[in-house]
Amino acid sequence: MSIDMTDNNVRVQPTDNGRGVFAARDLLAGEVVVVGRSAGPAAARGVHTIQVGFDAHVEIADPARLLNHCCDPNTGVRDNAFGAYDFIALRAIARSQEITFDYATTEYDAITMPPCMCGAGICRGEIRGFRWLPAQDKRRYGVFIAAYLRAAPPLASTTKGA
Ligand SMILES: [Zn+2]
């Protein structure tokens, strides 16, 4: 069993609507904050599954399972060797801040569209998927988007005839 060097980075705490993941120390931009590990293929999509391919959804182990969405998140995703994603600090994160990522950087399309309550100044208002993510947000995330989505052809080429 390998030691997960990120074990001391975060702790799980209650939030106003459930639980969330919070920084247990000051983190630097570029640090791997949480290593997300697949806990196996998902029988059905749900709030605690994560998409890893156009037809692939996995259950994700704690603490990554409890990461909440934000439209202006402090971490971004990078495919890892554990069947899911590493969550990388996009900027410096102070101890006790909540760790978030943008669900639209892993999910192609949302199964539900709950109103987003993230409170970010650039909040998009609802949690949809990558296919609905504005171009400027895709550019802002750069490489911190699921590899299967970055490799996808532009939507226009699959929906428009010649
Ligand atoms: Zn939002």
Side-chain angles (χ1 to χ4, degrees):
M1 198 76 174
S2 64
I3 296 167
D4 186 342
M5 298 302 284
T6 66
D7 278 353
N8 296 320
N9 287 355
V10 295
R11 58 172 165 260
V12 172
Q13 287 174 206
T15 65
D16 289 343
N17 20 293
R19 287 186 292 171
V21 179
F22 293 79
R25 63 176 179 86
D26 294 337
L27 296 153
L28 299 172
E31 278 198 75
V32 177
V33 178
V34 173
V35 175
R37 293 160 190 271
S38 168
R45 289 184 72 184
V47 292
H48 293 311
T49 65
I50 196 162
Q51 189 165 8
V52 295
F54 277 110
D55 296 308
H57 301 265
V58 298
E59 303 284 348
I60 192 164
D62 286 346
R65 189 174 69 90
L66 300 169
L67 288 167
N68 288 313
H69 166 89
C70 183
C71 297
D72 188 13
N74 52 21
T75 70
V77 299
R78 185 171 65 198
D79 292 61
N80 69 17
F82 306 104
Y85 302 101
D86 289 342
F87 296 85
I88 316 287
L90 297 177
R91 52 180 178 259
I93 302 170
R95 185 190 145 122
S96 83
Q97 281 187 336
E98 184 168 8
I99 307 298
T100 56
F101 77 105
D102 190 328
Y103 288 0
T105 60
T106 62
E107 308 305 295
Y108 178 64
D109 207 354
I111 46 173
T112 59
M113 283 187 286
C116 187
M117 318 266 255
C118 79
I122 58 169
C123 179
R124 299 189 297 274
E126 56 191 9
I127 303 174
R128 305 187 85 179
F130 182 78
R131 65 179 295 188
W132 308 103
L133 192 64
Q136 71 264 23
D137 292 310
K138 292 177 180 173
R139 276 196 299 276
R140 184 162 54 92
Y141 290 126
V143 298
F144 296 109
I145 292 172
Y148 86 94
L149 291 172
R150 280 187 282 118
L155 187 62
S157 69
T158 58
T159 57
K160 273 188 204 157

